Each structure stands twice: as structure tokens, then as C-alpha cells.
Amino acid sequence: MMKKIALIYMGGTFGCIGDPLSPMPAEQFIPKLQHILPLDQQIECFVAPVIQDSSACTATDWLKLIQYIQQLQLQQFQHFVIIHGTDTLSYASAVLSRFLGQSAHVVMTGSQYPLLNAAGDNTREFTDAIDNLNFALDCTVKYPVGVYLAFHHHLVHAQTALKIHTTELDAFNGVNAAQPITLSSQYHIVQENDISKAATFNCLSLMAQPIAIEQQIANLKNLQQHPPHVLILQGFGTGNLAVNQEFIATLHAIHAQGCAIVLTTQVPFGTINQHYAVSEWTQHANIIISDCLGHADLYAKALKMYLQYDSVDQWHAHWHDSV
């Protein structure tokens, strides 16, 4: 029996025309998109609640998308392909994975080149858009429930996705979808209050640089004046940072103002290893050790924690729950 697929368009390079590129209005683009869809699949096209360049996307946009998917699920859709811009595609993928869990078959995709030519009246002579879309459509009916990212004939678990190149067709990496890994499985039904609360979500990532510790402390003290909801410290290697008592005291002061501090690594692949020196000082510095599958996944988990818990103490108590 043919499975019906909801194809949701959210903008990005995929739907741009002109030189320089600019987005074609969705109501004009969708009929052209329908024209190139494979005839051997039952596909219905939808326009996402928010259409914009992905560099401008925030948590509220992805939560509205999730809410839209959950509404379509009530209409008996269980297979979804999302066309999204590549700039924040890894973040979108991780957020959808954290909130949808194993509730549906969802494949994210996009393209490095537009589907249409500059005039917008025909398909572009050279484009990866058609290949990426057909690959995503094929994957959504062949793979188990879960959220995936399909790009340049590679399918990866969405929660692990990472953009690794700005312009090459092979632009994303992550854990291959055929490889079993432990993923977030908790389904979260997005409510209007989630979207409202997400609008104020303030997440700041501070990548450590090889500078004197006095300068590191000075940077933290600047943040201490107006701390975000969550401060992500990207350490070296397995999460190592040079610290002293003043550094730790400054972290305590930031934490005391309701800021959740999470330690991760700036290295793209691999996780924090507690067998190294990093583990000693973290035990009494009021910080959380990341257990996420990548930087975008850490953002997604922090967002979900922010929506679920009101105090930083609750973050510490529930961080290692299956969020």
C-alpha cells in the first residue's frame, strides 16, 4: 500500500530564484515544486507556518513547525519530508528529533543550489535540489520511525547532524542512519505556551580561546552582569579548560543568577571524557556536563529543558533524564 507523504516547504536556497538569490513566494513556488515530484509516490505539499532564510530561524519557528507536523499526524500523516535552508538545518534537525522522538518518519533536507533557474521558469541546469529531495522522499518510507537528515546521498540521525562545508554538495556529516544509537525518545506535544516561552530563550555559547586565564575570567565577569538562561562553555579536547579558584567562583556567581552552565567540547566529533583532568574541578563548580550528540543537539536539549523546568536546580536534577 502506497504511503502518503507530507512534504513541508520552509524556505531556504532550495526555493530561491534570481541573481543575487532571493526567495520565490511560497504560493508561486509550490506549483513548480509539485511539477518535479515523482509520480510513483503519494505526496501532498504543505507550506510551513514560517517561511524565511534559515539564518533567521529561531526556536519559535521550529516549534511552530513541530506543532504543524503534530496537527498533520492527527490527519493520518506519518511520513514527512521537510525542505529547510542549510544554514541552521542541523539545529532544526536536532530540535525536531528532541521533540518528535520516535513518533513519525521525518526526513529533513535542503540544497546548496536552487531548484529553479534565475528566471524561475524552469529547473536549474545544475542543482542538487532534485537529488536531495528524491533521496529524502525515498528514505522517509524505507527507514524506521525517527528523524533523519538526508543530503548528498547520505542519511544521518538528525540528532547528530553537523554542517561541515559551506559550499560543497557533501555538506553534512553525522552518525549514519543504519548505525543504531541511543536517541531521545520522549514525544513532546508543542503547546502555544511553549512557543511563547521559547521567544525569550537566551542561549549563549562561549568557545574557549588560548588566552590568559585572567582574560577568560574578565570575559565571564562581563557575562555575570546580564547572564543568559544557559551558558555553553566549549572547552578544548575532551572539554578541558584552564581554571583557578577565581574562575570557579565567577561560574558560581553566574549560576546563582539562574543561569545553567553546560560544559562541552569545541571538537566536532567525540564526547567529553571524564577520565581526564576536566572531571576534577567540574564536580564543585555548579556546571552540567554535556551528554549530547553534537552542538546542535546540545542547543535542542537546552531548549527543551528551558521549556520544561523553571529553575537551574531543576536542570541539574533532571539533566540526565531521557529528555
Side-chain angles (χ1 to χ4, degrees):
M1 182 177 178
M2 189 179 294
K3 299 168 182 174
K4 64 177 184 177
I5 302 171
L7 176 58
I8 303 176
Y9 174 66
M10 199 171 171
T13 298
F14 197 106
C16 283
I17 57 172
D19 187 13
L21 293 175
S22 61
M24 174 181 275
E27 62 272 14
Q28 297 176 27
F29 179 71
I30 293 298
K32 296 181 182 295
L33 175 63
Q34 291 171 320
H35 185 69
I36 60 97
L37 295 178
L39 298 176
D40 60 346
Q41 291 177 303
Q42 185 181 349
I43 305 166
E44 190 169 343
C45 293
F46 298 91
V47 177
V50 179
I51 302 286
Q52 64 179 349
D53 186 88
S54 70
S55 62
C57 285
T58 65
T60 58
D61 303 318
W62 298 318
L63 291 178
K64 289 177 182 177
L65 174 62
I66 293 165
Q67 187 181 59
Y68 191 53
I69 290 171
Q70 290 170 340
Q71 290 167 355
L72 289 173
Q73 285 182 289
L74 298 177
Q75 300 174 32
Q76 306 309 310
F77 282 97
Q78 286 303 318
H79 296 80
F80 301 87
V81 170
I82 318 298
I83 297 173
H84 191 285
T86 61
D87 283 347
T88 54
L89 180 53
S90 60
Y91 289 91
S93 299
V95 171
L96 263 66
S97 185
R98 282 278 173 184
F99 282 77
L100 291 173
Q102 312 298 302
S103 67
H105 304 256
V106 182
V107 179
M108 310 287 293
T109 195
S111 66
Q112 295 284 59
Y113 293 90
L115 172 66
L116 303 174
N117 60 19
D121 56 8
N122 207 340
T123 53
R124 200 173 187 270
E125 185 175 345
F126 177 80
T127 180
D128 59 334
I130 296 175
D131 274 353
N132 285 351
L133 177 58
N134 287 337
F135 179 57
L137 290 167
D138 191 48
C139 288
T140 196
V141 296
K142 288 185 176 179
Y143 278 78
V145 289
V147 185
Y148 305 92
L149 187 152
F151 215 91
H152 196 58
H153 305 290
H154 294 155
L155 187 73
V156 302
H157 291 290
Q159 213 169 314
T160 71
L162 173 71
K163 189 170 185 182
I164 59 171
H165 204 285
T166 55
T167 56
E168 292 291 336
L169 299 183
D170 192 6
F172 287 86
N173 206 335
V175 176
N176 191 287
Q179 181 178 333
I181 58 174
T182 302
L183 296 166
S184 173
S185 60
Q186 286 192 0
Y187 183 70
H188 181 99
I189 298 176
V190 174
Q191 307 288 352
E192 289 301 322
N193 62 305
D194 291 321
I195 296 171
S196 299
K197 188 174 181 181
T200 61
F201 178 54
N202 188 359
C203 177
L204 179 65
S205 184
L206 185 62
M207 179 186 284
Q209 299 296 307
I211 59 176
I213 192 170
E214 291 79 12
Q215 300 305 321
Q216 304 275 27
I217 293 169
N219 290 335
L220 287 175
K221 287 186 180 296
N222 286 333
L223 290 176
Q224 186 181 335
Q225 306 305 311
H226 300 285
H229 296 117
V230 54
L231 173 63
I232 298 172
L233 296 178
Q234 292 182 259
F236 302 106
T238 59
N240 291 305
L241 287 172
V243 302
N244 59 20
Q245 288 303 312
E246 186 180 7
F247 185 97
I248 294 172
T250 306
L251 293 182
H252 276 281
I254 294 173
H255 172 272
Q257 295 185 68
C259 174
I261 304 171
V262 184
L263 179 66
T264 187
T265 172
Q266 57 190 258
V267 181
F269 299 102
T271 57
I272 290 180
N273 189 326
Q274 290 296 285
H275 291 101
Y276 287 80
V278 64
S279 62
E280 185 179 348
W281 66 272
T282 59
Q283 295 174 8
H284 52 88
N286 275 350
I287 65 172
I288 297 167
I289 304 298
S290 174
D291 56 0
C292 298
L293 299 173
H295 192 74
D297 185 39
L298 176 52
Y299 167 89
K301 183 169 184 176
L303 170 64
K304 201 171 182 184
M305 295 288 291
Y306 172 72
L307 296 179
Q308 290 180 337
Y309 304 110
D310 292 325
S311 74
V312 68
D313 289 337
Q314 289 176 307
W315 281 54
H316 281 263
H318 297 286
W319 179 262
H320 293 295
D321 294 352
S322 183
V323 176

